[in-house]
């Protein structure tokens, strides 16, 4: 479709650009992401014809038909489906015919007479290969085959293939007489013939059948040739001829040189449990055989890491054609193997100890990290069975468990970095991983690798990110490529799903009640008490706003292919608007009448069913009402039999058809969210606890023990692998491994959400041996540069967060300022090299009526500059006196940045008549000055600017030499070479010696 339609091609490219990822094992997720919210939104200028052949061979044919049934009728897509008669598929076809009011679905049964014409054409096309002495005999042979075929095309193909080896009329007659009419009997004859071959031929045939049957995808001839060499230790040179000779009636080579079974019926025949033959396929044993071959390759010299660890893409090493299959399929074969085999887990353990990093590098080079997640699922599944035969604390079991966790975390934490530079997995990624992780403990310590000190987590944290706000966070929603958080005073923050970095901020203007993405993720609906707004998430533009008589909305949802926005209100109504312009389409009643006063109470919450056919409405002290939107009537009530209106935070699972209570679990839930794949249910309560349950069994999978702050909202990411919660003034992003599961976990995992103490500002000691860190609890912590350990704490007079600090090396003093405008200068000393830090001596203690932006000490540490929004003052520390003067003052006007110079001591301006202007081409209008960092040791000044109103956005940094600012300067020219780093810088941290430290956008 993308080949012939530019719009389809653009839709797919947009998914790539937005880095939209999804579970390719889940066909419903693939359908939704690839077709429902991407391809079907493209513009079609011509009809497309789909051919789905042999639907009966599809693993989930019924589900595929159900998804096809949902295709919008206006789309010009015509579909031809072929299938054998299977009761479940026939029932679904009937359901599709009833679904469409017009005659749009036609069902035709192919009879024997319908096939005769096609079989005749096939036989005539292969006439020259038939063993007949003249045209008359050849025509007679065609008619004989046609009569015996009973309309079975596959039977004809197999007979023609066998006749190609007949060279006499007697042989032809024998073949036609002995070949059975039933396919099962035909396959039995084929393996009987194979049994008469030599021992080597039978061994080759068994190996070829095993690989063709059990491979996760069809192998090419060259791939199979290397696989057989690993499997049997021998190389079959003429493999295509060998296949035709020893197992040609069961296996064939297609036009793309892929080796495949002749038909699904042949596959089913070889899997028959009571088939007494050496060629019978035993899935468990034969998958183990393939797993051994894959691990043999992964443990070979071809997969050894490079001797010199390189950064960036180095020269491509020559590797076998089997590389891709071994790397992408080994874990699936292990999953389907028996966990009793000791040699298998020993081979797996050796791979995890040696060549795992080169495997990760190759997966990253393919441009898709899906197979890392896929391998993690399979290793976890294998591990659950392995612990029955191996001690849970054995080194092998612990290593498999650690790598199953690491693979998930590496994708979540460093996915973009590894994709950008696959070789970074060797030296750059391991030092940033927790010390107890498999990758850090095995590969993190190396004389040539990067050393990272001060990491606080010994093990992986399920919390990917914690975003703090000045205002309370009250709402959250997830789209395809971004998520949004609504704040109490009306701001809505938009973040990248992968990096959790802020993309932009939009304004609701009031307390944000509800947030809802369209299925494509391109539109966002937000509502407050009096306004309903529609946004374009890519540009941040407001598309329309409805602010007249908007009832208090309890739930928003997009419908009709994202063309309609629907809402349930507290006025017992369901409203719908056109997404294009916000025009009100309908306002229909929705509710129930109770025979008492409580009937006048507004509902407390409501929810749409996934198919938008029903609405569930809850009232305090009353059963839940199921309202049928199509029939406009009550469908039923949900509640306990004894006391229907009392659930008291219990998690109740109902059958929506007969309205019976299936299960009830006491969890004290106040907020509930379901994952898009329907497998997981999340709950949150007033104490901050979040719990995850398996939706089908209500089994507890995971718990976060929050000790403070009520959970205000929960939302799952569109791939169901992450969830977010908002509480107090923060948004937490979680990715627990239980969301990546094939089967139920044995135990519930528990995580603790402690109070985070953030580092708010840093500066280094003059010796470079220590780092001072101001924190959000008002303390200043001292860290040893050599080992990253905290070696001291300078106690504050209050618990107000530190805003900025400055170290004065000449007098060993530390100046601090907090967010309340208090500033202090202390004498800092140590009694000995290993003794405690002391900062009890206060040299200056003051307060500013205006918020403090920055504090700077003079080179001799005698004067302190306190810069605020309104004014700049210099304090004489010894005299405790204030003077209105500054050192360097920068101003911004449009895209222009200029500086003025003042003398520390005399308060006179030293600038030339005109301000000193910074000459740069990287700025344009819309930027504002964010911060200025000075480095007296190297006489350098770093100027940080950001987009106006977006302090958290990526910045531009100008690095200038201090000598450029003097009384004769009219223009200062920043370093051109440093400008190249601007695409990487997210935020400046400070100077350390002659180095400028910053946060990278990709970390």
């Amino acid at each position: 479709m993308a080949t012939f339609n530019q719009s389809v091609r653009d839709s797919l490219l947009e998914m790539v650009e937005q880095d939209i990822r999804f579970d390719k094992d889940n066909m419903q997720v693939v359908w939704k992401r690839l077709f429902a919210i991407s391809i079907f939104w493209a513009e079609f200028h011509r009809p497309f014809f789909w051919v789905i052949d042999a639907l009966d061979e599809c693993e989930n044919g019924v589900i595929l038909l159900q998804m096809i049934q949902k295709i919008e009728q206006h789309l010009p897509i015509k579909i031809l489906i072929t299938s054998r008669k299977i009761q479940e598929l026939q029932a679904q076809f009937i359901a599709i015919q009833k679904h469409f009011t017009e005659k749009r679905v036609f069902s035709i049964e192919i009879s024997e007479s319908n096939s005769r014409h096609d079989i005749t054409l096939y036989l005539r096309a292969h006439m020259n290969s038939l063993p007949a002495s003249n045209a008359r005999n050849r025509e007679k042979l065609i008619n004989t085959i046609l009569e015996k075929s009973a309309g079975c095309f596959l039977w004809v193909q197999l007979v023609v293939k066998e006749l190609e080896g007949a060279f006499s009329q007697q042989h032809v007659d024998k073949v036609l007489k002995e070949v059975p009419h039933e396919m099962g009997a035909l396959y039995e004859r084929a393996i009987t013939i194979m049994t008469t071959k030599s021992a080597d031929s039978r061994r080759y045939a068994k190996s070829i059948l095993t690989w063709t049957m059990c491979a996760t995808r069809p192998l090419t001839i060259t791939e199979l040739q290397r696989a057989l060499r690993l499997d049997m230790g021998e190389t079959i040179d003429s493999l295509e001829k060998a296949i035709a000779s020893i197992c040609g009636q069961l296996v064939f080579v297609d036009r793309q040189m892929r080796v495949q079974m002749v038909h699904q019926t042949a596959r089913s025949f070889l899997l028959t449990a009571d088939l007494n033959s050496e060629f019978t396929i035993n899935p468990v044993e034969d998958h183990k055989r393939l797993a051994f071959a894959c691990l043999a390759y992964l443990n070979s010299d071809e997969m050894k890491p490079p001797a010199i660890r390189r950064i960036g893409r180095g020269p491509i090493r020559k590797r076998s054609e089997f590389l891709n299959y071994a790397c992408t399929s080994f874990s699936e074969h292990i999953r389907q193997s028996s966990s009793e085999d000791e040699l298998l887990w020993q081979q797996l353990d050796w791979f995890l100890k040696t060549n795992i990093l080169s495997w990760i590098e190759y997966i990253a080079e393919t441009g898709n990290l899906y197979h890392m997640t896929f391998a993690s699922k399979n290793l976890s599944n294998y591990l659950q069975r392995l612990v029955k035969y191996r001690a849970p604390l054995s080194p092998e079991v612990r290593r498999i468990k650690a790598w199953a966790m690491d693979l998930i975390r590496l994708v979540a934490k460093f996915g973009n970095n590894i994709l950008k530079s696959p070789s970074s997995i060797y030296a750059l990624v391991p030092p940033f991983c927790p010390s107890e992780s498999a990758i850090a403990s095995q590969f993190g310590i190396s004389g040539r690798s990067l050393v990272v000190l001060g990491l606080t987590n010994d093990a992986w944290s399920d919390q990917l990110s914690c975003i703090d706000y000045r205002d309370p966070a009250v709402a959250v929603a997830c789209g395809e490529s971004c998520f949004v958080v609504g704040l109490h005073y009306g701001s809505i923050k938009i973040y990248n799903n992968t990096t959790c970095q802020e993309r932009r901020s939009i304004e609701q203007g009031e307390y944000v009640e509800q947030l809802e993405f369209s299925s494509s993720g391109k539109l966002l609906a937000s509502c407050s008490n009096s306004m309903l707004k529609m946004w374009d998430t890519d540009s941040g533009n407001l598309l329309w706003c409805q602010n007249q008589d908007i009832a208090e909305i309890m739930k928003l949802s997009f419908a009709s292919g994202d063309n309609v926005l629907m809402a349930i209100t507290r006025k017992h109504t369901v409203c719908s608007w056109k997404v294009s312009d916000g025009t009100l389409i309908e306002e229909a009643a929705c509710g129930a009448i109770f025979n008492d006063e409580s009937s006048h109470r507004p509902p407390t919450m409501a929810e749409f069913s996934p198919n938008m056919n029903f609405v569930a409405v809850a009232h305090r002290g009353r059963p839940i009402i199921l309202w049928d939107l199509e029939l406009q009537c009550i469908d039923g009530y949900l509640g306990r039999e004894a006391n229907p209106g009392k659930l008291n935070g219990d998690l109740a699972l109902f059958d929506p058809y007969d309205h019976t209570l299936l299960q009830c679990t006491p969890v004290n839930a106040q907020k509930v969210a379901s994952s898009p794949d329907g497998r997981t249910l999340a709950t949150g309560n007033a104490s901050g606890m979040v719990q995850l349950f398996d939706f089908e069994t209500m089994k507890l999978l995971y718990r976060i023990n929050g000790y403070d702050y009520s959970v205000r909202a929960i939302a799952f990411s569109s791939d169901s692998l992450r969830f977010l919660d908002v509480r107090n003034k923060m948004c937490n992003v979680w990715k627990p491994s239980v969301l990546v599961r094939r089967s139920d976990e044995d135990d519930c995992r528990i995580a603790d959400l402690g109070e985070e103490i953030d580092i708010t500002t840093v500066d280094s000691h003059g010796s470079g041996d220590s780092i001072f860190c101001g924190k959000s609890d008002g303390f200043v912590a001292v860290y040893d540069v050599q080992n990253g350990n905290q070696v001291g704490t300078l106690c504050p007079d209050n618990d107000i967060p530190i805003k900025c600090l400055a170290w004065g090396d000449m007098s060993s003093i530390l100046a601090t300022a907090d967010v309340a405008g208090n500033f202090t200068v202390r004498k800092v000393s140590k009694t000995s090299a290993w003794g405690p830090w002391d900062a009890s001596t206060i040299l200056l203690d003051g307060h500013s009526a205006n918020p403090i932006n920055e504090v700077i000490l003079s080179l001799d540490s005698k004067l302190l500059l306190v810069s605020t929004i309104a004014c700049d003052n210099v304090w004489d520390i010894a005299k405790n006196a204030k003077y209105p003067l500054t050192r360097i003052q920068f101003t911004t006007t449009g895209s222009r940045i200029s500086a003025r110079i003042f003398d520390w001591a005399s308060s006179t301006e030293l600038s030339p008549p005109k301000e000193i202007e910074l000459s740069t081409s990287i700025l344009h209008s819309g930027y504002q000055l964010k911060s200025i960092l000075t480095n007296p040791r190297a006489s350098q000044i770093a100027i940080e600017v950001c987009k106006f109103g977006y302090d958290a956005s990526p910045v531009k940094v100008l690095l200038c030499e201090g000598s450029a600012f003097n009384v004769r300067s009219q223009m200062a020219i920043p370093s051109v070479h440093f400008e190249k780093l601007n695409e990487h810088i997210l935020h400046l941290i400070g100077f350390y010696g002659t180095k400028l430290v910053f946060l990278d956008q990709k970390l």
Side-chain angles (χ1 to χ4, degrees):
M1 296 179 74
T3 303
F4 296 99
N5 189 303
Q6 177 70 37
S7 182
V8 172
R9 189 158 58 249
D10 291 342
S11 296
L12 297 178
L13 289 173
E14 185 178 359
M15 293 180 68
V16 175
E17 292 170 357
Q18 293 181 354
D19 196 26
I20 294 177
R21 306 171 186 176
F22 47 86
D23 185 358
K24 296 176 179 60
D25 283 345
N26 190 321
M27 62 184 299
Q28 292 170 299
V29 173
V30 173
W31 178 270
K32 176 186 175 184
R33 298 293 188 84
L34 199 58
F35 290 93
I37 66 175
S38 181
I39 293 178
F40 292 161
W41 280 77
E43 295 181 7
F44 293 91
H45 303 290
R46 50 163 288 180
F48 280 92
F49 298 88
W50 293 2
V51 178
I52 303 176
D53 188 30
L55 182 64
D56 53 286
E57 298 181 19
C58 178
E59 184 176 349
N60 294 297
V62 173
I63 296 177
L64 179 58
L65 288 177
Q66 291 172 347
M67 293 186 294
I68 290 174
Q69 181 177 329
K70 296 178 181 178
I71 296 178
E72 296 289 335
Q73 297 187 28
H74 71 274
L75 292 175
I77 299 176
K78 313 295 182 182
I79 306 174
L80 171 65
I81 301 174
T82 67
S83 172
R84 288 182 293 164
K85 277 189 174 182
I86 295 179
Q87 184 176 357
E88 294 83 358
L89 295 179
Q90 284 183 300
Q92 190 58 45
F93 273 118
I94 294 173
I96 292 178
Q97 288 177 320
K98 292 180 178 179
H99 174 73
F100 294 102
T101 54
E102 301 176 9
K103 189 69 174 177
R104 300 176 59 89
V105 181
F106 302 89
S107 179
I108 302 174
E109 184 175 344
I110 302 176
S111 64
E112 179 181 336
S113 59
N114 297 135
S115 301
R116 288 178 67 90
H117 177 67
D118 292 335
I119 293 175
T120 302
L121 292 176
Y122 174 80
L123 289 172
R124 294 193 184 284
H126 291 77
M127 184 179 296
N128 294 331
S129 63
L130 296 177
S133 57
N134 54 53
R136 181 180 178 183
N137 290 339
R138 193 173 292 117
E139 189 68 26
K140 181 180 178 181
L141 180 58
I142 290 175
N143 292 331
T144 303
I145 296 174
L146 190 60
E147 291 300 324
K148 287 179 172 289
S149 68
C152 182
F153 214 114
L154 177 61
W155 184 90
V156 173
Q157 287 180 301
L158 296 177
V159 168
V160 170
K161 183 175 290 189
E162 188 161 344
L163 286 174
E164 289 175 354
F167 301 102
S168 67
Q169 185 61 43
Q170 291 76 14
H171 194 178
V172 170
D173 294 339
K174 182 180 179 182
V175 169
L176 294 176
K177 181 179 180 180
E178 293 181 355
V179 171
H181 293 283
E182 297 294 329
M183 295 306 302
L186 182 63
Y187 296 141
E188 285 184 6
R189 181 176 180 274
I191 63 173
T192 300
I193 294 173
M194 291 163 58
T195 306
T196 63
K197 305 285 185 179
S198 65
D200 283 342
S201 294
R202 295 199 305 273
R203 189 160 51 88
Y204 297 157
K206 173 62 176 177
S207 187
I208 291 170
L209 285 173
T210 299
W211 279 93
T212 308
M213 286 281 292
C214 298
T216 59
R217 61 168 174 80
L219 296 172
T220 64
I221 281 288
T222 53
E223 287 177 325
L224 181 58
Q225 193 170 41
R226 181 59 190 273
L228 295 176
R229 180 180 176 184
L230 290 166
D231 185 20
M232 301 187 300
E234 299 179 37
T235 300
I236 304 177
D237 294 323
S238 301
L239 182 56
E240 189 173 359
K241 292 182 179 179
I243 291 172
S245 173
I246 61 181
C247 51
Q249 287 197 333
L250 298 176
V251 180
F252 77 102
V253 181
D254 66 15
R255 294 179 180 178
Q256 287 76 39
M257 299 304 290
R258 297 175 302 179
V259 184
Q260 306 206 48
M261 298 298 295
V262 293
H263 197 258
Q264 179 66 24
T265 54
R267 182 182 296 273
S268 301
F269 173 79
L270 291 177
L271 289 171
T272 304
D274 58 356
L275 180 63
N276 186 19
S277 170
E278 62 183 297
F279 302 108
T280 303
I281 298 298
N282 182 326
V284 174
E285 289 300 315
D286 290 330
H287 273 290
K288 183 176 70 175
R289 181 174 179 173
L290 270 61
F292 271 121
C294 291
L295 287 172
Y297 179 80
L298 294 176
N299 288 328
S300 68
D301 290 344
E302 284 189 25
M303 288 297 293
K304 281 187 175 179
I308 300 177
R309 296 176 177 177
R310 60 200 187 279
I311 304 300
R313 293 184 180 270
I316 299 176
R317 292 181 285 171
K318 184 174 178 57
R319 286 170 168 170
S320 165
E321 295 84 354
F322 189 63
L323 167 67
N324 178 268
Y325 185 85
C327 288
T328 57
S329 301
F330 84 96
S331 66
E332 178 63 17
H333 293 306
I334 290 175
R335 183 186 74 85
Q336 298 198 48
S337 302
S338 171
S339 55
E340 296 182 65
D341 194 287
E342 183 175 352
L343 184 57
L344 180 61
W345 56 255
Q346 287 178 348
Q347 290 292 309
L348 174 61
D349 185 60
W350 181 254
F351 165 64
L352 297 178
K353 289 192 295 186
T354 56
N355 295 347
I356 181 71
L357 294 189
S358 59
W359 172 78
I360 294 175
E361 180 187 29
Y362 172 76
I363 295 299
E365 286 172 350
T366 66
N368 189 346
L369 300 184
Y370 158 74
H371 287 287
M372 290 177 64
T373 303
F374 182 65
S376 173
K377 293 180 184 179
N378 289 333
L379 291 179
S380 297
N381 183 276
Y382 176 73
L383 184 65
Q384 291 176 24
R385 294 178 284 115
L386 181 62
V387 293
K388 299 177 183 178
Y389 308 100
R390 295 290 299 169
L393 297 180
S394 65
E396 299 86 1
V397 171
R398 294 173 64 184
R399 187 173 291 109
I400 296 173
K401 182 178 181 180
W403 275 109
M405 173 69 74
D406 278 18
L407 294 179
I408 289 290
R409 296 296 178 232
L410 288 172
V411 173
K413 295 279 190 179
F414 305 103
N416 287 338
N417 308 91
I418 298 173
L419 285 173
K420 186 175 182 180
S421 177
S423 60
S424 64
I425 194 63
Y426 293 112
L428 295 182
V429 172
F432 284 95
C433 298
S435 59
E436 294 181 1
S437 64
I439 186 172
S441 59
Q442 292 178 214
F443 306 106
I445 302 175
S446 172
R448 306 183 64 146
S449 65
L450 182 71
V451 177
V452 179
L453 303 174
L455 294 178
T456 57
N457 292 329
D458 295 329
W460 292 108
S461 171
D462 292 336
Q463 187 183 35
L464 295 185
S465 180
C466 178
I467 307 170
D468 292 316
Y469 304 100
R470 296 177 181 176
D471 303 330
V474 294
V476 64
C478 289
E480 293 299 317
S481 62
C482 60
F483 66 89
V484 294
V485 177
L487 304 182
H488 186 277
Y489 293 107
S491 295
I492 300 174
K493 304 291 185 179
I494 304 178
Y495 299 90
N496 181 282
N497 257 344
T498 304
T499 64
C500 299
Q501 297 294 330
E502 184 178 338
R503 284 168 48 174
R504 61 179 49 86
S505 179
I506 55 181
E507 289 296 328
Q508 177 71 19
E510 297 177 344
Y511 182 99
V512 181
E513 294 278 359
Q514 294 284 330
L515 295 168
E516 184 73 16
F517 276 101
S518 63
S519 59
S520 66
K522 297 177 181 179
L523 301 174
L524 172 70
S526 63
C527 75
S528 54
N529 280 335
S530 62
M531 287 186 289
L532 175 64
K533 294 185 177 183
M534 185 68 67
W535 306 87
D536 182 313
T537 56
D538 290 333
S539 64
N541 293 334
L542 176 64
L543 302 180
W544 52 262
C545 174
Q546 289 284 358
N547 55 10
Q548 65 272 13
D549 193 27
I550 297 294
E552 189 174 354
I553 293 174
M554 296 184 292
K555 180 63 182 177
L556 289 170
S557 186
F558 285 82
S560 301
D562 287 351
N563 292 314
V564 175
L565 178 66
M566 300 183 68
I568 311 170
T569 76
R570 296 190 189 277
K571 291 184 177 180
H572 298 90
T573 60
V574 174
C575 300
S576 55
W577 297 267
K578 287 184 179 180
V579 168
S580 58
D581 57 12
T583 302
L584 180 64
I585 301 173
E586 183 184 19
E587 184 173 4
C590 168
I593 299 176
F594 299 107
N595 296 322
D596 56 25
E597 295 180 359
S598 63
S599 62
H600 303 290
R601 297 175 185 170
T604 55
M605 60 185 64
E607 183 64 69
F608 288 101
S609 64
N611 58 11
M612 303 299 290
N613 291 336
F614 292 92
V615 167
V617 182
H619 293 75
R620 188 179 303 278
R622 287 294 176 182
I624 298 170
I625 303 165
L626 272 187
W627 181 267
D628 191 315
L629 289 176
E630 293 182 356
L631 302 178
Q632 288 293 300
C633 66
I634 296 174
D635 184 74
Y637 299 91
L638 306 178
R640 284 196 178 102
E641 291 184 8
N643 195 341
K646 295 294 184 180
L647 289 176
N648 297 325
D650 294 347
L651 199 58
L653 182 64
F654 294 92
D655 186 317
Y657 299 103
D658 60 18
H659 312 141
T660 56
L661 177 63
L662 302 177
Q663 189 174 346
C664 192
T665 305
V667 296
N668 189 28
Q670 291 184 321
K671 300 296 179 181
V672 182
S674 172
S675 62
D677 62 8
R679 298 185 62 194
T680 310
L681 190 68
T683 68
N685 62 25
S687 63
M689 179 186 293
V690 176
Q691 300 183 92
L692 300 184
F693 296 86
D694 182 272
F695 213 146
E696 184 176 355
T697 64
M698 284 299 149
K699 177 181 178 181
L700 180 63
L701 302 173
Y702 184 78
R703 175 188 295 145
I704 300 170
N705 287 329
Y707 303 104
D708 223 341
Y709 309 127
S710 173
V711 176
R712 304 299 299 268
I714 305 175
F716 279 89
S717 61
S718 55
D719 59 8
S720 301
L721 298 180
R722 299 183 184 188
F723 71 92
L724 299 83
D725 74 70
V726 292
R727 61 184 79 202
N728 194 32
K729 298 181 179 181
M730 69 180 74
C731 172
N732 299 297
V733 183
W734 304 90
K735 189 170 185 177
S737 58
V738 295
L739 293 179
V740 185
R741 67 189 191 278
R742 281 187 178 269
S743 58
D744 292 340
E745 301 289 340
D746 291 335
D747 299 305
C748 165
R749 291 191 55 207
I750 299 176
D752 285 318
L753 180 61
E755 183 179 357
E756 293 287 340
I757 300 175
D758 298 325
I759 293 176
T760 55
T761 182
V762 296
D763 201 2
S764 61
H765 190 276
S767 64
D769 296 332
S770 303
I771 299 289
F772 299 100
C773 296
K775 296 195 172 185
S776 58
D777 60 355
F779 284 76
V780 175
V782 187
Y783 291 88
D784 190 309
V785 171
Q786 298 301 317
N787 54 33
N789 294 332
Q790 183 173 334
V791 294
T793 301
L794 309 183
C795 298
D797 297 324
N798 50 55
D799 57 358
I800 302 175
I802 301 294
K803 174 70 179 295
C804 48
L805 52 80
W807 171 256
D809 202 40
M810 294 294 293
S811 303
S812 295
I813 60 176
L814 183 69
T816 63
D818 60 34
V819 296
N822 303 306
F823 59 92
T824 307
V825 179
R826 300 171 183 267
K827 180 73 174 178
V828 179
S829 61
K830 292 179 66 177
T831 56
S832 64
W834 295 276
W837 289 79
D838 177 67
S840 58
T841 304
I842 299 178
L843 304 179
L844 179 65
D845 190 10
H847 176 78
S848 170
N850 299 300
I852 297 175
N853 289 333
E854 192 173 7
V855 291
I856 299 176
L857 287 164
S858 62
L859 292 178
D860 58 8
S861 302
K862 294 181 178 180
L863 301 173
L864 173 70
L865 168 66
V866 179
S867 178
T868 71
I869 296 176
C871 60
D872 301 308
N873 297 298
V874 170
W875 290 78
D876 187 312
I877 297 173
K879 298 179 180 179
N880 197 10
K882 179 176 70 173
Y883 303 97
L885 51 97
T886 64
R887 183 183 179 204
I888 299 180
Q889 177 177 316
F890 287 87
T891 59
T892 59
T893 305
S895 60
R896 178 173 171 267
I897 299 180
S898 59
R900 298 159 58 203
I901 305 176
F902 295 81
D903 181 68
W904 275 100
S906 64
S907 73
T908 57
E909 183 174 355
L910 303 178
S911 304
K914 293 184 178 180
E915 296 174 341
I916 303 173
E917 187 170 344
L918 270 71
S919 174
T920 177
S921 60
I922 67 172
L923 298 182
H924 52 78
S925 59
Y927 277 87
Q928 66 180 11
L929 191 64
K930 183 177 180 181
S931 67
I932 302 169
L933 300 177
T934 59
N935 184 9
R937 302 175 186 87
S939 185
Q940 291 173 321
I941 298 174
I943 305 164
E944 186 180 28
V945 297
C946 64
K947 290 183 179 179
F948 186 80
Y950 292 92
D951 290 347
S953 65
V955 301
K956 302 288 186 182
V957 175
L958 311 174
L959 185 65
C960 301
E961 296 296 328
S963 58
F965 299 94
N966 57 69
V967 295
R968 292 180 296 277
S969 299
Q970 294 185 357
M971 183 173 294
I973 302 177
S975 170
V976 178
H977 300 291
F978 189 80
E979 290 181 1
K980 298 177 181 178
L981 286 175
N982 272 307
E983 63 184 66
H984 301 285
I985 298 176
L986 177 66
H987 177 65
L988 288 184
I989 295 177
F991 282 99
Y992 177 68
T994 58
K995 299 181 177 66
L996 181 62
V997 184
F998 61 88
L999 288 179
D1000 191 288
Q1001 291 189 38
K1002 302 296 183 182
L1003 290 179

